[in-house]
Amino acid sequence: MNETLHYLLMVNHLAFQKALLMGIRDTNLTLGQPKILDYLRDHDGAVQKEIAAACYIEPATLTSILSGMENKNLIVRRMQGNNRRSLYVYLTKQGKELAKQVESEFCRIEEHALREFSDEERALLNDFLIRIKDSFEKKEDL
Amino acid sequence: MNETLHYLLMVNHLAFQKALLMGIRDTNLTLGQPKILDYLRDHDGAVQKEIAAACYIEPATLTSILSGMENKNLIVRRMQGNNRRSLYVYLTKQGKELAKQVESEFCRIEEHALREFSDEERALLNDFLIRIKDSFEKKEDL
DNA sequence: ATATAATTGTTTGAAAACTAACTATTATAA
DNA sequence: TTATAATAGTTAGTTTTCAAACAATTATAT
């Protein structure tokens, strides 16, 4: 059981997340916020539905995380164009600064985790993880 | 960002977990319970501290999950021997049945996720993930 | 032997996560 | 055109999660 795929994925994901939260404790970001910042850094102006899907959380969960972030002035939600159903989410100046800090911490931890991997091994690992991800996405028989 | 290690670990972990919950919906198990059952299946009689560490959750979190499981008669907590500080956790008969069901669902999903991996690739993937896990555990510089 | 430390689990209060039910908007079909 | 579907986000209620503070027990040190 300590060597099953699901266990190793869980352990590594949670260890990664824990390390991140340690590394950005000074920012006062709460549990759910860093991943949103990280996503918005590359997708500023995304719609909530898209953010929720990319971060693998439910829209209802995102609603509450974004409310917290809006109160801290990290993001703004705007209606836009003739679409009065979707809300477009933008980083504020403060949000962008924190997003940068989060990213650099993500990089630092990632480098630490992979420091003994060769370039070839890194590429292979990446390929493996993407193949697993793909297998979950086409879920005919799942 | 869609190909960083942390993102791929997160995505795969959450996709795995989501697939599991789909597969065992009929059991009425809540979010936090399957992993505890899965652990106890191999470690019946474990102490709470040990369970929390293995499942990568805080003792306080475990307290609340176990209370729910105790109410459903899936586990019992017992003091034992001359140690009046620790609580030993045992699966009930019902708990054991559900644990079995959870395990077989875990296996099914795992096989699905890895169905296009050769034996050699599986071994390599396992090795990679264990090395990453180890790198988090020795956190001199982290 | 007594005081101090460390260990184990719980409580409290907050954020995050889910599902199900809801409102409002937009698209499709009859 | 009007009725029905689907879409986007929110609310309500429960569980999960964490951190910090707590009680009880056990170990260590003086």
Side-chain angles (χ1 to χ4, degrees):
Chain A
M1 114 124 216
N2 292 32
E3 305 220 343
T4 57
L5 179 61
H6 91 266
Y7 183 76
L8 288 171
L9 289 173
M10 176 186 81
V11 159
N12 282 322
H13 171 221
L14 296 181
F16 210 120
Q17 179 163 295
K18 221 155 259 195
L20 179 82
L21 289 172
M22 290 286 248
I24 58 166
R25 229 177 324 167
D26 58 306
T27 61
N28 286 321
L29 288 170
T30 52
L31 285 179
Q33 296 173 353
K35 59 171 164 291
I36 311 296
L37 284 180
D38 192 48
Y39 183 76
L40 287 176
R41 198 177 42 75
D42 269 339
H43 302 85
D44 205 26
V47 158
Q48 292 195 195
K49 174 189 161 74
E50 177 192 342
I51 301 172
C55 294
Y56 275 69
I57 58 178
E58 298 302 313
T61 303
L62 185 60
T63 293
S64 85
I65 299 180
L66 289 182
S67 299
M69 294 175 75
E70 212 164 28
N71 291 340
K72 287 193 203 176
N73 275 310
L74 302 181
I75 55 124
V76 290
R77 291 188 256 206
R78 284 212 295 266
M79 278 210 278
Q80 201 161 280
N82 45 10
N83 180 353
R84 295 198 296 170
R85 198 160 47 172
S86 303
L87 283 174
Y88 297 78
V89 180
Y90 292 91
L91 289 171
T92 61
K93 195 181 165 201
Q94 291 173 60
K96 280 178 190 162
E97 277 166 24
L98 283 190
K100 228 178 284 175
Q101 193 177 342
V102 166
E103 188 207 8
S104 88
E105 186 61 17
F106 265 132
C107 288
R108 201 179 67 76
I109 296 167
E110 183 144 338
E111 194 38 58
H112 178 269
L114 294 176
R115 71 188 183 288
E116 288 176 1
F117 281 63
S118 69
D119 286 352
E120 205 182 333
E121 286 174 329
R122 291 176 194 218
L124 206 48
L125 172 62
N126 218 258
D127 175 61
F128 286 168
L129 292 177
I130 288 174
R131 280 165 63 192
I132 294 174
K133 171 165 168 271
D134 289 344
S135 84
F136 279 117
E137 275 160 12
K138 52 171 133 145
K139 47 195 166 204
E140 322 85 33
D141 45 307
L142 227 176
Chain B
M1 114 125 216
N2 291 32
E3 304 218 343
T4 56
L5 179 61
H6 92 265
Y7 184 76
L8 288 170
L9 289 173
M10 176 186 79
V11 158
N12 282 323
H13 171 221
L14 296 181
F16 210 121
Q17 179 164 296
K18 222 156 257 194
L20 178 83
L21 289 171
M22 291 288 248
I24 58 168
R25 228 177 324 167
D26 59 306
T27 60
N28 287 320
L29 288 171
T30 51
L31 287 178
Q33 295 172 354
K35 59 172 164 287
I36 311 295
L37 284 179
D38 192 47
Y39 183 77
L40 286 176
R41 199 179 40 75
D42 270 338
H43 302 85
D44 206 26
V47 158
Q48 292 195 195
K49 174 189 161 77
E50 176 192 342
I51 302 172
C55 293
Y56 274 68
I57 58 179
E58 298 302 313
T61 304
L62 186 60
T63 293
S64 86
I65 298 181
L66 289 182
S67 299
M69 294 175 76
E70 210 164 29
N71 290 340
K72 288 193 200 174
N73 274 310
L74 303 181
I75 55 126
V76 291
R77 292 189 255 205
R78 284 211 296 266
M79 278 210 278
Q80 202 161 280
N82 46 9
N83 180 354
R84 294 197 297 171
R85 197 161 46 173
S86 303
L87 283 173
Y88 297 79
V89 180
Y90 292 92
L91 288 169
T92 62
K93 195 181 164 198
Q94 292 173 60
K96 280 178 191 162
E97 278 166 24
L98 284 189
K100 229 178 283 175
Q101 194 177 341
V102 166
E103 188 206 8
S104 87
E105 186 61 17
F106 265 131
C107 288
R108 202 179 67 75
I109 296 167
E110 183 144 338
E111 194 39 57
H112 178 269
L114 294 176
R115 70 189 184 289
E116 288 175 2
F117 280 64
S118 69
D119 286 351
E120 204 183 334
E121 287 174 327
R122 291 176 194 218
L124 207 48
L125 172 62
N126 219 258
D127 174 61
F128 286 168
L129 292 177
I130 289 174
R131 280 165 62 192
I132 294 174
K133 173 166 168 272
D134 289 343
S135 85
F136 278 117
E137 277 160 11
K138 53 172 134 144
K139 47 195 167 202
E140 321 86 34
D141 47 316
L142 227 175

